[in-house]
Amino acid sequence: MTMKIGAVDLPSPYAIAPMAGMTDTAFRRLVKRHGGCGLVVTEMVSSEGLVRGIDRTLEYADYTEEERPISIQIFGGDPDKMAAAAQIVEGMGADIVDINMGCPVPKIAKHDAGCSLMREPEHAAQVVAAMTRAVKIPVTVKMRAGWNDDSRNAPTLARMVEDAGAAAVAVHGRTAAQSYSGAADWELVARIADDLTIPVFGSGDCIDPQQIVERMRTGVEGVLVGRGVLRNPWILAQATELAAGRPPRDVTLADRGQFLLDYIDLLLRERIDEARATSHDRWVINKLRALGSWYTKGFENGSHLRTAINSAESLAGLCDTINAFFMEPAGV
Ligand SMILES: Cc1cc2nc3c(=O)[nH]c(=O)nc-3n(C[C@H](O)[C@H](O)[C@H](O)COP(=O)(O)O)c2cc1C
């Protein structure tokens, strides 16, 4: 099963959804190495920061060759700046530039960016048009169902961005007002997929591999998996196996522990020459805590592990905790 966005071939229709603070290059590489992942998307990156060349912003857009095809997601509301940022993204060698029209966080939304763009569909379409004029790589859009229940306008907006030149659309079937409450509306997503000519990805609430396979049957071309990947980085590989009629692979406790140790190892090799207020070790510990809050959900004694990860004071202590829990479970 393969798919295409513009001229870009995706080896699988399953992708890692963009997640700020979580889907850094190290995490994306590890998920990709486990298989089944057709596309990775960066954390959202500020168009303003890209245009001004702010180091921290450029770091968020960083990727490695093994992640290809790679989509860099940008946020912003000004068509000219978004077009300039898209050119920077193209210059960085990304395969796809994605526009964030889904972020409900006030800090982003109040600047006419993120999901606020859904409240001004004409303006949102202008942003897409300006970007598609500025670059050759495909421009894609990630949106929610709408701003709130009175305005579930994703079907209209999706059509408008298609007409403005978008090469694919991803829809998370919740409104900004819902944030993460309730359930994602896959019926709405299916309607959009049916209506559009360009590929449509659905996003929301795929926690086990079977759900990914079932969602594909709603008529979407692809599925973006967010929190499900943070809980189970093998979920895309398992969905691929299920879709091919094979039993999904078993993931042992030791595999799960090794993933965390590999993540630490990759993080330790990053950003080494950067002067930071906090030490590199502290940064790695904080990254592991962030992942830990998702990764420990849904399995036995997960809350104990979460507490232990959150109270580890040093990297050595963190690795001991991981080893004790996953590699020598009898000792816990
Ligand atoms: C921690 C976190 C950070 C997120 N950051 C982004 C983001 O930067 N850009 C974006 O378009 N969506 C973001 N999302 C939304 C996800 O991409 C996805 O659409 C949503 O979580 C629903 O899918 P899921 O149920 O599979 O997680 C984020 C979600 C989470 C949980």
Side-chain angles (χ1 to χ4, degrees):
M1 248 191 315
T2 59
M3 68 173 286
K4 243 177 163 28
I5 296 180
V8 179
D9 285 313
L10 311 192
S12 155
Y14 313 140
I16 315 179
M19 285 178 285
M22 311 304 307
T23 51
D24 54 64
T25 165
F27 183 78
R28 296 189 307 255
R29 260 176 279 160
L30 282 183
V31 173
K32 186 120 198 190
R33 283 176 197 171
H34 290 297
C37 174
L39 178 70
V40 302
V41 190
T42 62
E43 309 173 59
M44 61 180 178
V45 178
S46 155
S47 56
E48 187 84 38
L50 281 177
V51 171
R52 286 202 266 140
I54 295 172
D55 286 349
R56 191 70 185 257
T57 308
L58 294 169
E59 256 173 37
Y60 287 133
D62 228 7
Y63 66 90
T64 55
E65 285 303 308
E66 72 174 286
E67 292 169 55
R68 287 192 191 282
I70 169 98
S71 171
I72 295 184
Q73 186 187 66
I74 63 175
F75 68 90
D78 180 79
D80 292 338
K81 261 192 205 136
M82 288 291 274
Q87 285 174 337
I88 293 166
V89 164
E90 184 173 50
M92 291 173 79
D95 300 293
I96 294 169
V97 58
D98 185 51
I99 309 170
N100 182 318
M101 293 195 193
C103 184
V105 177
K107 199 173 82 180
I108 306 289
K110 79 171 181 224
H111 293 295
D112 289 338
C115 203
S116 281
L117 283 170
M118 294 195 76
R119 306 172 86 178
E120 302 171 67
E122 273 85 24
H123 181 75
Q126 278 168 19
V127 170
V128 176
M131 289 170 64
T132 51
R133 274 196 303 271
V135 294
K136 290 197 189 66
I137 55 173
V139 175
T140 61
V141 175
K142 179 155 181 287
M143 61 179 74
R144 283 188 174 239
W147 180 256
N148 60 25
D149 248 354
D150 297 330
S151 173
R152 298 171 71 81
N153 65 342
T156 316
L157 182 64
R159 179 67 84 83
M160 289 170 72
V161 302
E162 174 174 86
D163 291 343
V169 167
V171 183
H172 171 201
R174 286 188 176 84
T175 62
Q178 271 182 297
S179 189
Y180 289 91
S181 65
D185 181 352
W186 278 84
E187 224 165 86
L188 180 103
V189 176
R191 251 197 297 141
I192 297 170
D194 190 41
D195 186 43
L196 262 51
T197 309
I198 54 175
V200 172
F201 286 86
S203 167
D205 306 341
C206 292
I207 293 300
D208 61 55
Q210 187 64 42
Q211 289 167 317
I212 301 177
V213 177
E214 276 159 21
R215 292 315 186 190
M216 284 297 285
R217 298 197 186 114
T218 63
V220 293
E221 271 85 357
V223 177
L224 286 182
V225 186
R227 292 166 294 178
V229 176
L230 302 180
R231 286 165 72 143
N232 170 17
W234 293 264
I235 190 171
L236 305 180
Q238 290 170 326
T240 306
E241 287 151 358
L242 276 174
R246 297 196 300 272
R249 72 187 62 180
D250 267 340
V251 178
T252 64
L253 213 50
D255 293 333
R256 291 187 62 88
Q258 194 57 49
F259 184 94
L260 293 180
L261 296 175
D262 290 344
Y263 187 43
I264 292 174
D265 192 49
L266 287 183
L267 290 172
L268 279 174
R269 294 161 200 245
E270 261 168 49
R271 307 184 180 201
I272 13 193
D273 32 46
E274 197 165 320
R276 291 202 164 262
T278 52
S279 74
H280 194 74
D281 280 12
R282 176 52 54 189
W283 176 74
V284 175
I285 290 171
N286 288 342
K287 279 257 149 202
L288 263 289
R289 285 184 184 173
L291 179 60
S293 69
W294 303 98
Y295 198 80
T296 54
K297 282 204 173 88
F299 67 93
E300 224 180 309
N301 282 332
S303 63
H304 288 125
L305 173 63
R306 188 152 60 245
T307 311
I309 291 178
N310 287 341
S311 52
E313 284 301 331
S314 66
L315 256 186
L318 185 62
C319 292
D320 286 347
T321 299
I322 293 169
N323 277 315
F325 190 89
F326 292 100
M327 311 307 197
E328 308 139 20
V332 178

